[in-house]
């Protein structure tokens, strides 16, 4: 089960990133061109937040059962590694913050009255959420924690 969820979490990040990029495109376009906030925009807002929640749920599951995280926390605190610190604290904290930002942005967007305010709220909150996610993903090129773009199953 662990291997499947790890694979799913690795693959599903692309759905989250695609959803966020599309939502940001829709928000920027709607704000810039002063368009009406349509049912499609509402659906994009909702599904982007839902994708982020699914990914966070899989991440929490991995965090709780991961042998790597368990080994990090059971080790001597003075012997912590950079990669252990990244997955033990930084990755989980940043991702939680990012999903909270996306959730708050989604909720506030839904409650705004004017289309311009809806687009501006979604653009701001989702944009900062995406930035935090991009900083906390273990990309293959990072020196402190690198993983493949898609983990093989």
């Amino acid at each position: 089960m662990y291997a499947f969820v790890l694979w799913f979490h690795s693959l599903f990040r692309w759905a989250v990133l695609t959803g966020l990029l599309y939502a940001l495109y829709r928000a920027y376009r709607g704000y810039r061109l002063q368009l009406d906030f349509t049912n499609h925009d509402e659906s994009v807002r909702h599904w982007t937040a839902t994708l982020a929640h699914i990914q966070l749920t899989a991440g929490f599951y991995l965090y709780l059962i991961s042998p790597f995280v368990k080994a990090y926390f059971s080790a001597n605190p003075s012997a912590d590694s950079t990669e252990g610190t990244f997955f033990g604290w930084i990755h989980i904290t940043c991702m939680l913050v990012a999903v909270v930002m996306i959730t708050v942005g989604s909720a506030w967007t839904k409650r705004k009255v004017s289309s311009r305010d809806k687009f501006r709220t979604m653009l701001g909150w989702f944009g900062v959420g995406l930035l935090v996610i991009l900083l906390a993903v273990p990309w293959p090129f990072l020196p402190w924690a690198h993983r493949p773009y898609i983990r093989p199953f």
Side-chain angles (χ1 to χ4, degrees):
M1 183 69 164
Y2 175 75
F4 173 76
V5 177
L6 191 60
W7 170 80
F8 173 81
H9 188 67
S10 170
L11 184 65
F12 200 72
R13 73 172 148 183
W14 298 107
V16 174
L17 291 173
T18 302
L20 275 169
L21 288 172
Y22 184 64
L24 288 170
Y25 163 75
R26 294 288 301 186
Y28 176 76
R29 182 176 166 271
Y31 181 76
R32 183 90 166 143
L33 300 176
Q34 298 183 9
L35 301 173
D36 287 333
F37 198 84
T38 64
N39 286 337
H40 181 71
D41 297 314
E42 179 65 24
S43 181
V44 168
R45 176 205 59 80
H46 169 77
W47 283 106
T48 300
T50 301
L51 291 172
H53 287 129
I54 292 168
Q55 181 73 341
L56 185 66
T57 302
F60 277 151
Y61 175 78
L62 290 171
Y63 187 78
L64 293 173
I65 68 164
S66 169
F68 185 75
V69 172
K70 286 180 183 178
Y72 169 72
F73 282 113
S74 67
N76 183 354
S78 63
D80 60 341
S81 68
T82 305
E83 198 167 289
T85 302
F86 179 80
F87 285 109
W89 294 106
I90 297 169
H91 181 70
I92 189 75
T93 303
C94 288
M95 293 306 181
L96 179 60
V97 167
V99 173
V100 166
M101 294 179 85
I102 291 166
T103 303
V104 168
S106 177
W108 284 8
T109 298
K110 185 169 48 172
R111 287 163 178 75
K112 297 290 180 181
V113 176
S114 75
S115 291
R116 190 155 172 85
D117 286 343
K118 286 178 183 254
F119 286 126
R120 182 177 53 225
T121 302
M122 191 164 85
L123 185 62
W125 284 92
F126 283 22
V128 175
L130 175 63
L131 180 64
V132 173
I133 287 172
L134 291 175
L135 292 172
V137 169
W139 299 108
F141 51 82
L142 294 179
W144 54 84
H146 49 278
R147 296 292 185 266
Y149 287 114
I150 297 175
R151 189 177 283 270
F153 184 55

